[in-house]
Amino acid sequence: MAHTPNIMFIATIYLFSIVTNFPFLSNALSSCNQPCNTLNDCAGQLICIKGKCNDDPDVGTHICSGSGGGGSGGTCQSSGNLKCDGKSYPQYKCSPPVSSSTQAILTLNDFSEGGDGGAPSECDEKYHDNSERVVALSTGWYNQGSRCLKMIKITAKNGKSVKAKVVDECDSVNGCDKEHAGQPPCRNNIVDGSQAVWDALGLDSDVGEESVTWSMA
């Protein structure tokens, strides 16, 4: 007697094949540590790392680790998106929690008149020469100006450290306008340093970005 295939089993295999070959037909996996194959399989601010949805280290989210942003607990998630020049940029009112060794991305900023920032620095309403060791912090770390004119310590991967003064906010919410010199919102884990900061750390500013850690000095 011939074996009759199980119809339900065949249907299940067929459906699995469709979802596997056409992932856009399935829902994105938003939960932490759930399996994924591509970057698009994880929703929200999660990213596919080694086959599982996890926090995006480039964005600095702490959704899966449970750590809060902005020093106030909870989860630091995007508050929305800002569209400009045909692109969409996430907006953040918070940043990863500050510790004795806070991970960040060091970027380069010209704080002088006519430089990258457009307007004078928020903390003192002044422009600063490229020879000054000054920085701007992402909105959450800037914390409504509570760190204005305070010193922070920045440490590069090469072991060198430098102290710099906080003079401005690297706006993680607003951008793409005259006030922000046409630049999009900052990411929420940025320490935007002057040329003097890069030089003191022995880093090549032409690279544009470097992984560093920082703390209050």
Side-chain angles (χ1 to χ4, degrees):
M1 181 176 181
H3 177 68
T4 303
N6 187 309
I7 296 177
M8 289 298 294
F9 177 76
I10 294 176
T12 301
I13 295 298
Y14 179 69
L15 179 61
F16 176 78
S17 177
I18 292 176
V19 173
T20 300
N21 291 289
F22 301 94
F24 57 85
L25 296 177
S26 65
N27 293 325
L29 298 172
S30 59
S31 300
C32 294
N33 298 318
Q34 292 223 354
C36 57
N37 294 312
T38 70
L39 295 177
N40 295 325
D41 289 342
C42 302
Q45 297 300 312
L46 301 180
I47 190 172
C48 189
I49 301 177
K50 295 182 178 179
K52 292 185 178 181
C53 292
N54 213 321
D55 291 310
D56 187 344
D58 291 333
V59 176
T61 53
H62 291 265
I63 299 170
C64 298
S65 62
S67 299
S72 58
T75 302
C76 181
Q77 298 187 42
S78 171
S79 59
N81 291 281
L82 182 66
K83 292 184 178 180
C84 58
D85 296 330
K87 296 182 179 181
S88 181
Y89 298 91
Q91 299 167 294
Y92 290 93
K93 295 180 180 179
C94 57
S95 293
V98 176
S99 66
S100 59
S101 183
T102 310
Q103 294 186 355
I105 300 297
L106 177 68
T107 53
L108 178 67
N109 189 40
D110 183 350
F111 294 87
S112 64
E113 188 170 2
D116 301 328
S121 299
E122 286 187 15
C123 292
D124 55 10
E125 298 184 353
K126 296 180 180 179
Y127 292 105
H128 294 270
D129 192 82
N130 290 321
S131 62
E132 296 183 60
R133 296 175 181 178
V134 292
V135 298
L137 298 177
S138 293
T139 295
W141 289 337
Y142 184 72
N143 196 23
Q144 299 179 336
S146 67
R147 292 192 169 92
C148 265
L149 305 182
K150 294 183 178 179
M151 303 296 291
I152 67 170
K153 180 182 178 182
I154 307 166
T155 303
K157 287 187 174 182
N158 60 16
K160 292 186 177 181
S161 297
V162 64
K163 291 183 179 180
K165 182 187 294 184
V166 178
V167 297
D168 208 351
E169 173 186 9
C170 194
D171 201 330
S172 304
V173 179
N174 306 295
C176 303
D177 53 18
K178 184 177 180 181
E179 181 183 350
H180 298 84
Q183 299 185 62
C186 278
R187 283 163 287 173
N188 68 341
N189 61 340
I190 297 297
V191 173
D192 206 18
S194 63
Q195 183 65 54
V197 170
W198 281 75
D199 291 344
L201 292 173
L203 299 175
D204 182 3
S205 59
D206 289 336
V207 174
E209 294 186 0
E210 288 282 358
S211 296
V212 297
T213 60
W214 74 275
S215 63
M216 298 306 298

